[in-house]
Amino acid sequence: MTDQQEQRQNRRIDPANCSMGRALSVVGERWSLLIVREALDGASRFGDFRARLGIASNLLSTRLDSLVAAGVLQRVPYREPGDRERFEYRLTEKGTDLRPTVIALLEWGDKYLADEQGPSVVVRHHSPEGSGCDEPVALVLQCAAGHTDLPPASVYRSPGPGARFLPA
Amino acid sequence: MTDQQEQRQNRRIDPANCSMGRALSVVGERWSLLIVREALDGASRFGDFRARLGIASNLLSTRLDSLVAAGVLQRVPYREPGDRERFEYRLTEKGTDLRPTVIALLEWGDKYLADEQGPSVVVRHHSPEGSGCDEPVALVLQCAAGHTDLPPASVYRSPGPGARFLPA
DNA sequence: CTCCTGGATTTACTATCTCAACTCAGGTGG
DNA sequence: CCACCTGAGTTGAGATAGTAAATCCAGGAG
């Protein structure tokens, strides 16, 4: 029996009982991750997002609301001098924790979909004003024993504490 | 002038000229990444995906086609004994390279959206049959100088070779 | 007062997704 | 030879999500 045949017959984790599916229900459509990307890059106001993304204002409105509802963004009042109170949308910790996801997509896009000139964006270590190394940053898969550079085949999904299985 | 104000006025990279946007045009809707997730976990046949994901067959059909067109999956004929020729969908390298994206979403979901019992899926190092460490695997942001555990604020986007800027 | 501006909401339209039913090619059993 | 089963789709009606454009609305500015 081949691996695949075996896998097909084994008790399988219910795919709906997967954090990735839930994650996608929050950020799994056209705009959410792009909004998060811009927020990670400093955008916070309605107009910032609108200008940077070219998103329709009604959609931006509903997406911002749903990201606030999901706890990814926080609605914070502000007031520019000589202007009325307005709101801006700041990333929560839950929001900034999407950075690896954004970077993973960015890296994949850079590898397979970039212009001939190369990637348009490079993520670097150390803040713009800071001193520091300024080296490019990458995501690395690493196991708890410290092994790194894991080839795809050496990584597998196993049931965790919250696993539910499919009926045989 | 605050950082944010400065950022708003500086020359900005055209957000459409970003690999992440392009990546999202390939895998940025409800099902593609779930299909890739199942494929990474061994699914390859129409019925595998259908049973595991509960996706409507027409959508699965079009999604598989578009993933093949995008080069994420490859359509390979096979024939079970006593059966006619059929096709299965195998990940290409471009497809398996989505693993970090899948894992990033999984980790985020585990942190914020898991059941009380904990995550349902743990990604581990070393294949099921193999000897080896069997330790859980995580994504780590690491810069080329070897710095790791980079706090969100110490990472920034800078223009790469293919950058296009927005008109001031 | 009236106009202007940023931040939305409304409306009308289109595209995409869901669910259910149907097709179609080949294999099997009678 | 023929009815029928199975896996892999296709078709079509209705719901959901996205797009573009117009409108609203609460302050300030003139």
Side-chain angles (χ1 to χ4, degrees):
Chain A
M1 193 187 261
T2 69
D3 267 10
Q4 295 222 340
Q5 283 171 324
E6 191 168 12
Q7 191 128 21
R8 239 187 304 282
Q9 288 195 213
N10 277 353
R11 230 164 138 59
R12 286 192 329 259
I13 301 164
D14 180 351
N17 164 230
C18 172
S19 299
M20 195 191 124
R22 298 182 190 174
L24 286 175
S25 72
V26 176
V27 295
E29 37 51 70
R30 190 148 175 45
W31 290 109
S32 299
L33 277 176
L34 290 166
I35 290 171
V36 170
R37 175 187 80 186
E38 295 306 325
L40 284 167
D41 200 35
S44 64
R45 301 179 183 177
F46 195 90
D48 291 342
F49 294 111
R50 197 152 153 53
R52 294 188 184 200
L53 295 171
I55 181 177
S57 59
N58 56 349
L59 248 204
L60 177 56
S61 198
T62 62
R63 287 278 75 96
L64 289 174
D65 286 352
S66 69
L67 288 170
V68 168
V72 170
L73 296 174
Q74 206 181 348
R75 195 166 191 259
V76 181
Y78 74 94
R79 167 161 236 154
E80 297 264 301
D83 212 343
R84 81 181 129 124
E85 183 180 69
R86 297 175 190 281
F87 294 91
E88 57 184 13
Y89 299 86
R90 301 228 195 104
L91 288 167
T92 60
E93 190 196 339
K94 189 171 177 180
T96 57
D97 277 346
L98 281 166
R99 189 185 294 272
T101 302
V102 168
I103 292 178
L105 278 165
L106 183 66
E107 287 184 357
W108 187 78
D110 280 349
K111 180 161 178 187
Y112 293 106
L113 307 167
D115 288 339
E116 292 191 1
Q117 301 89 37
S120 63
V121 174
V122 176
V123 179
R124 292 180 186 279
H125 178 208
H126 229 289
S127 41
E129 76 286 344
S131 58
C133 74
D134 226 47
E135 292 293 325
V137 162
L139 276 177
V140 179
L141 256 190
Q142 184 175 285
C143 85
H147 298 128
T148 189
D149 270 330
L150 312 180
S154 75
V155 166
Y156 70 103
R157 296 164 86 207
S158 75
R164 286 198 305 272
F165 293 92
L166 290 177
Chain B
M1 193 186 264
T2 70
D3 268 10
Q4 295 221 340
Q5 283 172 325
E6 191 168 10
Q7 192 128 21
R8 238 186 305 282
Q9 288 194 213
N10 276 354
R11 231 163 138 60
R12 286 193 328 260
I13 301 164
D14 181 352
N17 163 229
C18 171
S19 299
M20 196 191 122
R22 297 182 191 173
L24 285 176
S25 71
V26 177
V27 295
E29 38 53 67
R30 188 149 176 43
W31 290 109
S32 300
L33 277 176
L34 290 166
I35 290 171
V36 170
R37 176 188 77 185
E38 295 306 323
L40 285 167
D41 200 35
S44 64
R45 300 178 183 178
F46 195 90
D48 292 343
F49 293 111
R50 199 153 151 50
R52 295 188 184 200
L53 295 172
I55 182 177
S57 59
N58 56 350
L59 247 204
L60 176 56
S61 198
T62 62
R63 288 277 75 97
L64 288 173
D65 286 352
S66 70
L67 288 170
V68 168
V72 170
L73 295 174
Q74 205 180 349
R75 195 166 191 259
V76 181
Y78 74 95
R79 169 162 234 155
E80 297 263 301
D83 211 344
R84 82 181 126 124
E85 182 180 69
R86 297 176 189 281
F87 294 90
E88 58 185 12
Y89 300 86
R90 301 228 194 104
L91 287 168
T92 60
E93 191 197 340
K94 189 171 177 181
T96 57
D97 278 345
L98 281 166
R99 189 185 294 271
T101 301
V102 169
I103 293 178
L105 278 165
L106 183 66
E107 288 184 357
W108 187 79
D110 280 349
K111 181 161 177 187
Y112 293 107
L113 307 168
D115 287 339
E116 292 191 0
Q117 300 89 35
S120 64
V121 174
V122 176
V123 179
R124 292 179 186 281
H125 177 209
H126 229 290
S127 41
E129 75 287 344
S131 58
C133 72
D134 226 47
E135 292 292 327
V137 162
L139 277 177
V140 178
L141 257 190
Q142 185 174 283
C143 85
H147 299 129
T148 188
D149 270 330
L150 311 181
S154 75
V155 166
Y156 70 103
R157 297 165 85 208
S158 75
R164 286 198 304 271
F165 293 92
L166 290 177

